[in-house]
Amino acid sequence: MNSRKATAALALATALALGASACSSSSNSKSSDNGGKKSGGSSAAAAKDAALTGIVNASSTKGGTVTMENSDVPDSLDPGNTYYGWVQNFSRLYARTLLTFKPAAGKDGLTVVPDLATGLGQASADAKTWTYHIRPGLKYDDGTPITTKDIKYAIERSNFAPEALSNGPTYFKAYLQGGDKYQGPYKDKNPNGIASIATPDDTTIVFHLAKPFADFDYLATFSQTAPVPQAKDTGADYVKHIVSSGPYKFASYEDGVGADLVRNPQWQQSSDPVRKALPNEIKIKFKVNANTIDNNLIAGNDTVDSGGTGVQSNTQAKVIGPKYAKNTDDSYAGATSYLAINQNVAPFNNIDCRKAIEYAIDKTSVQTAIGGPVKGDVATTLLPPTVSGYTKFDEYPSAGGKGDVAKAKASLTACGKAGGFTTNLTARNDRPAEMAEATAIQNSLKQVGITVNIKSYPSGKYFSNFAGVPSYVHQHQLGLMLTAWGADWPTGYGFLDQIVDGSAIKPSGGNNIQELNDPAINKALSDAIANTDATARTQAWGQIDKMVLDTATVVPLIYRKNLLYRPDSATNVTVTQAYLGMYDYLLLSSSK
């Protein structure tokens, strides 16, 4: 570490030592050779769950084409306009960030290492000032130099321009000095941008925060820190002509169809200790039927399902059989599937009506609908057991997670709806498992007199156009909304902040879709992330989780597992818990 001062260093080291799962830091050491030698886990022969702790089909051979498919479209491949975990993983192929998670097997993959930066952040004693230095001589795919001014601009456009880029998180906006006043580069024409990000020279960047933030090195792994040259930025249309800072560049991109990535001749292995860049080409297709993707994987026509959420329920029985089981990895996703109850949609403005939902849902039927225990465990908390700060509790107990009809009906009587009511439930129509969850919930609620109309939407626009848009939700009376969440980084704050803090409610693209804005919860989150006592901070996350459940605005359903399938042609395959238990796309290559 460059700095061992203050709470920031302590928080970082403690979180990493716990080895928790993350969606989105540790030593300055160089990464291991990932091109076929041991890297954070042993090289492993193809066997069931082998990629959970080792690298399957390890190879150092350059060449071949990695072929990916996805059942819908991404929110965006623009590194500054995405919140999907798989895009964060995928974007590392063409967008380098200040720091990144080490491409390695097992818990070693949770280690944060320098990427563009020469080391981890240098923190002030109060954890309010963070300094990074980037490697000299870096270039974009067009040969122009990469500077820290480009990193500053990338953060400004991604955090302060919701009118153009609405999908990503806004941690930088929330914590930078003056973040509540700066209007973003498209509206504020001051060429110096926000004053709290300083770039005294082309290789130095300094962040001045309004309040302590002990986990700041985790923010430096976000794709939002991938540099963007202001002269090439076209706002929401930048996705059509992304300028690459990584080993691959876009040979083609067609909105809603797919993309083709080829080698970036300006990328230099000597300036990138993280990536081996073995494949010659990476192809990705969108809007492919989920069951078709499974069949293509089994036939060896694809390398990976880029969504990383595992095979579909009707494929599961086939791949867990004796012929294909050796090609599967049942990975904990570090994520929880849950039902959001929007408290601004009647009758859920009454807590007892919300409690009726909490008690009525048969979670074991939801588990069965998605494929049984192989797809996850019944949940009682938002924080999954793999995230630092998890505390076991159950605020709405029932026998074996099967629901409590008597308590549900009593809650309905208490909220003045003894005869039940009608409401709408949303789910993503290109995710068969989520649609199955919706049907199971519909059946559960019917038992207590609640009629549910299922409204389905495409996942690529689920948050930007529908469930994440409060005005749309209110207008269409979307009282219940299915979703799933994994930690932005492996601590309770990294999991909870964007889904329960009131500041995370946005006009569109928000993930706090229950619109929870509880002052006590907001304050507890802010106080905990500034706490200099790492043990107390970790305990706080479980306490906050319980505070959220007591509002009855979320129903935890399943601690998710991903039943992944890897074809024999896939090489250097390992699961990364840093990105929701999917395969690590920086390591992945192909023998085809």
mmCIF file with all atom_site columns, all heavy atoms in Angstrom, residues 230-251:
data_model
loop_
_atom_site.group_PDB
_atom_site.id
_atom_site.type_symbol
_atom_site.label_atom_id
_atom_site.label_alt_id
_atom_site.label_comp_id
_atom_site.label_asym_id
_atom_site.label_entity_id
_atom_site.label_seq_id
_atom_site.pdbx_PDB_ins_code
_atom_site.Cartn_x
_atom_site.Cartn_y
_atom_site.Cartn_z
_atom_site.occupancy
_atom_site.B_iso_or_equiv
_atom_site.pdbx_formal_charge
_atom_site.auth_seq_id
_atom_site.auth_comp_id
_atom_site.auth_asym_id
_atom_site.auth_atom_id
_atom_site.pdbx_PDB_model_num
ATOM 1   N N   . GLN A 1 230 ? -12.503 14.396  -23.896 1.00 0.00 ? 230 GLN A N   1
ATOM 2   C CA  . GLN A 1 230 ? -13.654 15.276  -24.041 1.00 0.00 ? 230 GLN A CA  1
ATOM 3   C C   . GLN A 1 230 ? -13.963 15.579  -25.503 1.00 0.00 ? 230 GLN A C   1
ATOM 4   O O   . GLN A 1 230 ? -15.133 15.676  -25.896 1.00 0.00 ? 230 GLN A O   1
ATOM 5   C CB  . GLN A 1 230 ? -13.427 16.569  -23.266 1.00 0.00 ? 230 GLN A CB  1
ATOM 6   C CG  . GLN A 1 230 ? -14.632 17.490  -23.250 1.00 0.00 ? 230 GLN A CG  1
ATOM 7   C CD  . GLN A 1 230 ? -14.480 18.651  -22.288 1.00 0.00 ? 230 GLN A CD  1
ATOM 8   O OE1 . GLN A 1 230 ? -13.430 18.838  -21.692 1.00 0.00 ? 230 GLN A OE1 1
ATOM 9   N NE2 . GLN A 1 230 ? -15.537 19.430  -22.101 1.00 0.00 ? 230 GLN A NE2 1
ATOM 10  N N   . ALA A 1 231 ? -12.933 15.696  -26.316 1.00 0.00 ? 231 ALA A N   1
ATOM 11  C CA  . ALA A 1 231 ? -13.140 16.029  -27.729 1.00 0.00 ? 231 ALA A CA  1
ATOM 12  C C   . ALA A 1 231 ? -13.895 14.937  -28.480 1.00 0.00 ? 231 ALA A C   1
ATOM 13  O O   . ALA A 1 231 ? -14.499 15.196  -29.524 1.00 0.00 ? 231 ALA A O   1
ATOM 14  C CB  . ALA A 1 231 ? -11.789 16.279  -28.404 1.00 0.00 ? 231 ALA A CB  1
ATOM 15  N N   . LYS A 1 232 ? -13.881 13.698  -27.947 1.00 0.00 ? 232 LYS A N   1
ATOM 16  C CA  . LYS A 1 232 ? -14.537 12.581  -28.627 1.00 0.00 ? 232 LYS A CA  1
ATOM 17  C C   . LYS A 1 232 ? -15.891 12.228  -28.002 1.00 0.00 ? 232 LYS A C   1
ATOM 18  O O   . LYS A 1 232 ? -16.584 11.349  -28.509 1.00 0.00 ? 232 LYS A O   1
ATOM 19  C CB  . LYS A 1 232 ? -13.627 11.343  -28.581 1.00 0.00 ? 232 LYS A CB  1
ATOM 20  C CG  . LYS A 1 232 ? -12.290 11.512  -29.290 1.00 0.00 ? 232 LYS A CG  1
ATOM 21  C CD  . LYS A 1 232 ? -12.462 11.648  -30.793 1.00 0.00 ? 232 LYS A CD  1
ATOM 22  C CE  . LYS A 1 232 ? -11.142 11.781  -31.516 1.00 0.00 ? 232 LYS A CE  1
ATOM 23  N NZ  . LYS A 1 232 ? -10.330 10.546  -31.486 1.00 0.00 ? 232 LYS A NZ  1
ATOM 24  N N   . ASP A 1 233 ? -16.243 12.933  -26.922 1.00 0.00 ? 233 ASP A N   1
ATOM 25  C CA  . ASP A 1 233 ? -17.479 12.594  -26.223 1.00 0.00 ? 233 ASP A CA  1
ATOM 26  C C   . ASP A 1 233 ? -18.697 13.135  -26.969 1.00 0.00 ? 233 ASP A C   1
ATOM 27  O O   . ASP A 1 233 ? -18.743 14.310  -27.343 1.00 0.00 ? 233 ASP A O   1
ATOM 28  C CB  . ASP A 1 233 ? -17.446 13.175  -24.805 1.00 0.00 ? 233 ASP A CB  1
ATOM 29  C CG  . ASP A 1 233 ? -18.682 12.800  -23.993 1.00 0.00 ? 233 ASP A CG  1
ATOM 30  O OD1 . ASP A 1 233 ? -19.293 11.768  -24.313 1.00 0.00 ? 233 ASP A OD1 1
ATOM 31  O OD2 . ASP A 1 233 ? -19.011 13.541  -23.053 1.00 0.00 ? 233 ASP A OD2 1
ATOM 32  N N   . THR A 1 234 ? -19.683 12.270  -27.169 1.00 0.00 ? 234 THR A N   1
ATOM 33  C CA  . THR A 1 234 ? -20.935 12.678  -27.819 1.00 0.00 ? 234 THR A CA  1
ATOM 34  C C   . THR A 1 234 ? -22.132 12.334  -26.933 1.00 0.00 ? 234 THR A C   1
ATOM 35  O O   . THR A 1 234 ? -23.222 12.021  -27.412 1.00 0.00 ? 234 THR A O   1
ATOM 36  C CB  . THR A 1 234 ? -21.081 11.985  -29.185 1.00 0.00 ? 234 THR A CB  1
ATOM 37  O OG1 . THR A 1 234 ? -20.899 10.562  -29.023 1.00 0.00 ? 234 THR A OG1 1
ATOM 38  C CG2 . THR A 1 234 ? -20.056 12.510  -30.172 1.00 0.00 ? 234 THR A CG2 1
ATOM 39  N N   . GLY A 1 235 ? -21.909 12.358  -25.620 1.00 0.00 ? 235 GLY A N   1
ATOM 40  C CA  . GLY A 1 235 ? -22.997 12.091  -24.690 1.00 0.00 ? 235 GLY A CA  1
ATOM 41  C C   . GLY A 1 235 ? -23.511 10.674  -24.786 1.00 0.00 ? 235 GLY A C   1
ATOM 42  O O   . GLY A 1 235 ? -22.744 9.714   -24.806 1.00 0.00 ? 235 GLY A O   1
ATOM 43  N N   . ALA A 1 236 ? -24.826 10.523  -24.863 1.00 0.00 ? 236 ALA A N   1
ATOM 44  C CA  . ALA A 1 236 ? -25.430 9.196   -24.928 1.00 0.00 ? 236 ALA A CA  1
ATOM 45  C C   . ALA A 1 236 ? -24.994 8.427   -26.166 1.00 0.00 ? 236 ALA A C   1
ATOM 46  O O   . ALA A 1 236 ? -25.023 7.186   -26.185 1.00 0.00 ? 236 ALA A O   1
ATOM 47  C CB  . ALA A 1 236 ? -26.943 9.310   -24.888 1.00 0.00 ? 236 ALA A CB  1
ATOM 48  N N   . ASP A 1 237 ? -24.565 9.132   -27.212 1.00 0.00 ? 237 ASP A N   1
ATOM 49  C CA  . ASP A 1 237 ? -24.137 8.474   -28.448 1.00 0.00 ? 237 ASP A CA  1
ATOM 50  C C   . ASP A 1 237 ? -22.674 8.031   -28.425 1.00 0.00 ? 237 ASP A C   1
ATOM 51  O O   . ASP A 1 237 ? -22.201 7.409   -29.387 1.00 0.00 ? 237 ASP A O   1
ATOM 52  C CB  . ASP A 1 237 ? -24.353 9.405   -29.648 1.00 0.00 ? 237 ASP A CB  1
ATOM 53  C CG  . ASP A 1 237 ? -25.806 9.505   -30.046 1.00 0.00 ? 237 ASP A CG  1
ATOM 54  O OD1 . ASP A 1 237 ? -26.588 8.596   -29.693 1.00 0.00 ? 237 ASP A OD1 1
ATOM 55  O OD2 . ASP A 1 237 ? -26.182 10.499  -30.685 1.00 0.00 ? 237 ASP A OD2 1
ATOM 56  N N   . TYR A 1 238 ? -21.977 8.331   -27.337 1.00 0.00 ? 238 TYR A N   1
ATOM 57  C CA  . TYR A 1 238 ? -20.567 7.936   -27.249 1.00 0.00 ? 238 TYR A CA  1
ATOM 58  C C   . TYR A 1 238 ? -20.416 6.417   -27.364 1.00 0.00 ? 238 TYR A C   1
ATOM 59  O O   . TYR A 1 238 ? -19.396 5.905   -27.846 1.00 0.00 ? 238 TYR A O   1
ATOM 60  C CB  . TYR A 1 238 ? -19.966 8.432   -25.929 1.00 0.00 ? 238 TYR A CB  1
ATOM 61  C CG  . TYR A 1 238 ? -18.518 8.058   -25.702 1.00 0.00 ? 238 TYR A CG  1
ATOM 62  C CD1 . TYR A 1 238 ? -17.506 8.613   -26.484 1.00 0.00 ? 238 TYR A CD1 1
ATOM 63  C CD2 . TYR A 1 238 ? -18.162 7.147   -24.708 1.00 0.00 ? 238 TYR A CD2 1
ATOM 64  C CE1 . TYR A 1 238 ? -16.168 8.282   -26.269 1.00 0.00 ? 238 TYR A CE1 1
ATOM 65  C CE2 . TYR A 1 238 ? -16.833 6.807   -24.487 1.00 0.00 ? 238 TYR A CE2 1
ATOM 66  C CZ  . TYR A 1 238 ? -15.840 7.375   -25.271 1.00 0.00 ? 238 TYR A CZ  1
ATOM 67  O OH  . TYR A 1 238 ? -14.518 7.031   -25.060 1.00 0.00 ? 238 TYR A OH  1
ATOM 68  N N   . VAL A 1 239 ? -21.453 5.681   -26.949 1.00 0.00 ? 239 VAL A N   1
ATOM 69  C CA  . VAL A 1 239 ? -21.418 4.223   -27.020 1.00 0.00 ? 239 VAL A CA  1
ATOM 70  C C   . VAL A 1 239 ? -21.193 3.727   -28.450 1.00 0.00 ? 239 VAL A C   1
ATOM 71  O O   . VAL A 1 239 ? -20.688 2.615   -28.664 1.00 0.00 ? 239 VAL A O   1
ATOM 72  C CB  . VAL A 1 239 ? -22.718 3.624   -26.428 1.00 0.00 ? 239 VAL A CB  1
ATOM 73  C CG1 . VAL A 1 239 ? -23.913 3.936   -27.325 1.00 0.00 ? 239 VAL A CG1 1
ATOM 74  C CG2 . VAL A 1 239 ? -22.597 2.128   -26.201 1.00 0.00 ? 239 VAL A CG2 1
ATOM 75  N N   . LYS A 1 240 ? -21.540 4.555   -29.433 1.00 0.00 ? 240 LYS A N   1
ATOM 76  C CA  . LYS A 1 240 ? -21.394 4.143   -30.830 1.00 0.00 ? 240 LYS A CA  1
ATOM 77  C C   . LYS A 1 240 ? -19.957 4.258   -31.327 1.00 0.00 ? 240 LYS A C   1
ATOM 78  O O   . LYS A 1 240 ? -19.605 3.656   -32.348 1.00 0.00 ? 240 LYS A O   1
ATOM 79  C CB  . LYS A 1 240 ? -22.311 4.996   -31.712 1.00 0.00 ? 240 LYS A CB  1
ATOM 80  C CG  . LYS A 1 240 ? -23.784 4.843   -31.378 1.00 0.00 ? 240 LYS A CG  1
ATOM 81  C CD  . LYS A 1 240 ? -24.638 5.786   -32.213 1.00 0.00 ? 240 LYS A CD  1
ATOM 82  C CE  . LYS A 1 240 ? -26.115 5.679   -31.841 1.00 0.00 ? 240 LYS A CE  1
ATOM 83  N NZ  . LYS A 1 240 ? -26.934 6.646   -32.611 1.00 0.00 ? 240 LYS A NZ  1
ATOM 84  N N   . HIS A 1 241 ? -19.139 5.044   -30.611 1.00 0.00 ? 241 HIS A N   1
ATOM 85  C CA  . HIS A 1 241 ? -17.748 5.243   -31.034 1.00 0.00 ? 241 HIS A CA  1
ATOM 86  C C   . HIS A 1 241 ? -16.850 5.377   -29.805 1.00 0.00 ? 241 HIS A C   1
ATOM 87  O O   . HIS A 1 241 ? -16.204 6.408   -29.601 1.00 0.00 ? 241 HIS A O   1
ATOM 88  C CB  . HIS A 1 241 ? -17.628 6.481   -31.925 1.00 0.00 ? 241 HIS A CB  1
ATOM 89  C CG  . HIS A 1 241 ? -18.492 6.449   -33.144 1.00 0.00 ? 241 HIS A CG  1
ATOM 90  N ND1 . HIS A 1 241 ? -18.186 5.681   -34.255 1.00 0.00 ? 241 HIS A ND1 1
ATOM 91  C CD2 . HIS A 1 241 ? -19.664 7.068   -33.425 1.00 0.00 ? 241 HIS A CD2 1
ATOM 92  C CE1 . HIS A 1 241 ? -19.126 5.834   -35.159 1.00 0.00 ? 241 HIS A CE1 1
ATOM 93  N NE2 . HIS A 1 241 ? -20.033 6.669   -34.687 1.00 0.00 ? 241 HIS A NE2 1
ATOM 94  N N   . ILE A 1 242 ? -16.825 4.340   -28.984 1.00 0.00 ? 242 ILE A N   1
ATOM 95  C CA  . ILE A 1 242 ? -16.026 4.359   -27.758 1.00 0.00 ? 242 ILE A CA  1
ATOM 96  C C   . ILE A 1 242 ? -14.544 4.351   -28.111 1.00 0.00 ? 242 ILE A C   1
ATOM 97  O O   . ILE A 1 242 ? -14.092 3.558   -28.954 1.00 0.00 ? 242 ILE A O   1
ATOM 98  C CB  . ILE A 1 242 ? -16.372 3.149   -26.868 1.00 0.00 ? 242 ILE A CB  1
ATOM 99  C CG1 . ILE A 1 242 ? -17.816 3.280   -26.356 1.00 0.00 ? 242 ILE A CG1 1
ATOM 100 C CG2 . ILE A 1 242 ? -15.399 3.031   -25.701 1.00 0.00 ? 242 ILE A CG2 1
ATOM 101 C CD1 . ILE A 1 242 ? -18.322 2.050   -25.621 1.00 0.00 ? 242 ILE A CD1 1
ATOM 102 N N   . VAL A 1 243 ? -13.779 5.228   -27.465 1.00 0.00 ? 243 VAL A N   1
ATOM 103 C CA  . VAL A 1 243 ? -12.335 5.277   -27.663 1.00 0.00 ? 243 VAL A CA  1
ATOM 104 C C   . VAL A 1 243 ? -11.692 4.346   -26.638 1.00 0.00 ? 243 VAL A C   1
ATOM 105 O O   . VAL A 1 243 ? -11.883 4.504   -25.432 1.00 0.00 ? 243 VAL A O   1
ATOM 106 C CB  . VAL A 1 243 ? -11.800 6.713   -27.504 1.00 0.00 ? 243 VAL A CB  1
ATOM 107 C CG1 . VAL A 1 243 ? -10.307 6.754   -27.809 1.00 0.00 ? 243 VAL A CG1 1
ATOM 108 C CG2 . VAL A 1 243 ? -12.553 7.663   -28.424 1.00 0.00 ? 243 VAL A CG2 1
ATOM 109 N N   . SER A 1 244 ? -10.935 3.384   -27.100 1.00 0.00 ? 244 SER A N   1
ATOM 110 C CA  . SER A 1 244 ? -10.413 2.332   -26.237 1.00 0.00 ? 244 SER A CA  1
ATOM 111 C C   . SER A 1 244 ? -9.125  2.735   -25.531 1.00 0.00 ? 244 SER A C   1
ATOM 112 O O   . SER A 1 244 ? -8.232  3.330   -26.125 1.00 0.00 ? 244 SER A O   1
ATOM 113 C CB  . SER A 1 244 ? -10.157 1.067   -27.058 1.00 0.00 ? 244 SER A CB  1
ATOM 114 O OG  . SER A 1 244 ? -9.469  0.112   -26.279 1.00 0.00 ? 244 SER A OG  1
ATOM 115 N N   . SER A 1 245 ? -9.040  2.351   -24.244 1.00 0.00 ? 245 SER A N   1
ATOM 116 C CA  . SER A 1 245 ? -7.801  2.477   -23.488 1.00 0.00 ? 245 SER A CA  1
ATOM 117 C C   . SER A 1 245 ? -7.249  1.107   -23.103 1.00 0.00 ? 245 SER A C   1
ATOM 118 O O   . SER A 1 245 ? -6.210  1.008   -22.452 1.00 0.00 ? 245 SER A O   1
ATOM 119 C CB  . SER A 1 245 ? -8.035  3.314   -22.222 1.00 0.00 ? 245 SER A CB  1
ATOM 120 O OG  . SER A 1 245 ? -9.099  2.773   -21.441 1.00 0.00 ? 245 SER A OG  1
ATOM 121 N N   . GLY A 1 246 ? -7.959  0.038   -23.503 1.00 0.00 ? 246 GLY A N   1
ATOM 122 C CA  . GLY A 1 246 ? -7.569  -1.317  -23.153 1.00 0.00 ? 246 GLY A CA  1
ATOM 123 C C   . GLY A 1 246 ? -6.987  -2.088  -24.317 1.00 0.00 ? 246 GLY A C   1
ATOM 124 O O   . GLY A 1 246 ? -6.722  -1.525  -25.380 1.00 0.00 ? 246 GLY A O   1
ATOM 125 N N   . PRO A 1 247 ? -6.805  -3.394  -24.163 1.00 0.00 ? 247 PRO A N   1
ATOM 126 C CA  . PRO A 1 247 ? -6.158  -4.192  -25.205 1.00 0.00 ? 247 PRO A CA  1
ATOM 127 C C   . PRO A 1 247 ? -7.029  -4.450  -26.430 1.00 0.00 ? 247 PRO A C   1
ATOM 128 O O   . PRO A 1 247 ? -6.534  -4.909  -27.452 1.00 0.00 ? 247 PRO A O   1
ATOM 129 C CB  . PRO A 1 247 ? -5.825  -5.499  -24.497 1.00 0.00 ? 247 PRO A CB  1
ATOM 130 C CG  . PRO A 1 247 ? -6.796  -5.584  -23.375 1.00 0.00 ? 247 PRO A CG  1
ATOM 131 C CD  . PRO A 1 247 ? -7.044  -4.175  -22.935 1.00 0.00 ? 247 PRO A CD  1
ATOM 132 N N   . TYR A 1 248 ? -8.341  -4.158  -26.329 1.00 0.00 ? 248 TYR A N   1
ATOM 133 C CA  . TYR A 1 248 ? -9.231  -4.369  -27.459 1.00 0.00 ? 248 TYR A CA  1
ATOM 134 C C   . TYR A 1 248 ? -9.960  -3.068  -27.804 1.00 0.00 ? 248 TYR A C   1
ATOM 135 O O   . TYR A 1 248 ? -10.216 -2.231  -26.934 1.00 0.00 ? 248 TYR A O   1
ATOM 136 C CB  . TYR A 1 248 ? -10.260 -5.470  -27.158 1.00 0.00 ? 248 TYR A CB  1
ATOM 137 C CG  . TYR A 1 248 ? -9.589  -6.810  -26.937 1.00 0.00 ? 248 TYR A CG  1
ATOM 138 C CD1 . TYR A 1 248 ? -9.269  -7.234  -25.650 1.00 0.00 ? 248 TYR A CD1 1
ATOM 139 C CD2 . TYR A 1 248 ? -9.223  -7.616  -28.016 1.00 0.00 ? 248 TYR A CD2 1
ATOM 140 C CE1 . TYR A 1 248 ? -8.614  -8.445  -25.436 1.00 0.00 ? 248 TYR A CE1 1
ATOM 141 C CE2 . TYR A 1 248 ? -8.577  -8.823  -27.816 1.00 0.00 ? 248 TYR A CE2 1
ATOM 142 C CZ  . TYR A 1 248 ? -8.271  -9.232  -26.525 1.00 0.00 ? 248 TYR A CZ  1
ATOM 143 O OH  . TYR A 1 248 ? -7.615  -10.409 -26.321 1.00 0.00 ? 248 TYR A OH  1
ATOM 144 N N   . LYS A 1 249 ? -10.270 -2.904  -29.081 1.00 0.00 ? 249 LYS A N   1
ATOM 145 C CA  . LYS A 1 249 ? -11.035 -1.759  -29.552 1.00 0.00 ? 249 LYS A CA  1
ATOM 146 C C   . LYS A 1 249 ? -12.225 -2.270  -30.349 1.00 0.00 ? 249 LYS A C   1
ATOM 147 O O   . LYS A 1 249 ? -12.282 -3.443  -30.754 1.00 0.00 ? 249 LYS A O   1
ATOM 148 C CB  . LYS A 1 249 ? -10.162 -0.841  -30.411 1.00 0.00 ? 249 LYS A CB  1
ATOM 149 C CG  . LYS A 1 249 ? -9.713  -1.463  -31.729 1.00 0.00 ? 249 LYS A CG  1
ATOM 150 C CD  . LYS A 1 249 ? -8.936  -0.466  -32.576 1.00 0.00 ? 249 LYS A CD  1
ATOM 151 C CE  . LYS A 1 249 ? -8.574  -1.063  -33.943 1.00 0.00 ? 249 LYS A CE  1
ATOM 152 N NZ  . LYS A 1 249 ? -7.897  -0.068  -34.804 1.00 0.00 ? 249 LYS A NZ  1
ATOM 153 N N   . PHE A 1 250 ? -13.176 -1.389  -30.603 1.00 0.00 ? 250 PHE A N   1
ATOM 154 C CA  . PHE A 1 250 ? -14.383 -1.771  -31.337 1.00 0.00 ? 250 PHE A CA  1
ATOM 155 C C   . PHE A 1 250 ? -14.125 -1.731  -32.840 1.00 0.00 ? 250 PHE A C   1
ATOM 156 O O   . PHE A 1 250 ? -13.848 -0.681  -33.406 1.00 0.00 ? 250 PHE A O   1
ATOM 157 C CB  . PHE A 1 250 ? -15.538 -0.839  -30.991 1.00 0.00 ? 250 PHE A CB  1
ATOM 158 C CG  . PHE A 1 250 ? -16.136 -1.103  -29.634 1.00 0.00 ? 250 PHE A CG  1
ATOM 159 C CD1 . PHE A 1 250 ? -15.579 -0.538  -28.498 1.00 0.00 ? 250 PHE A CD1 1
ATOM 160 C CD2 . PHE A 1 250 ? -17.230 -1.929  -29.498 1.00 0.00 ? 250 PHE A CD2 1
ATOM 161 C CE1 . PHE A 1 250 ? -16.114 -0.785  -27.245 1.00 0.00 ? 250 PHE A CE1 1
ATOM 162 C CE2 . PHE A 1 250 ? -17.784 -2.189  -28.250 1.00 0.00 ? 250 PHE A CE2 1
ATOM 163 C CZ  . PHE A 1 250 ? -17.220 -1.620  -27.115 1.00 0.00 ? 250 PHE A CZ  1
ATOM 164 N N   . ALA A 1 251 ? -14.224 -2.890  -33.473 1.00 0.00 ? 251 ALA A N   1
ATOM 165 C CA  . ALA A 1 251 ? -14.207 -2.939  -34.935 1.00 0.00 ? 251 ALA A CA  1
ATOM 166 C C   . ALA A 1 251 ? -15.584 -2.599  -35.469 1.00 0.00 ? 251 ALA A C   1
ATOM 167 O O   . ALA A 1 251 ? -15.720 -2.037  -36.559 1.00 0.00 ? 251 ALA A O   1
ATOM 168 C CB  . ALA A 1 251 ? -13.780 -4.318  -35.416 1.00 0.00 ? 251 ALA A CB  1
#
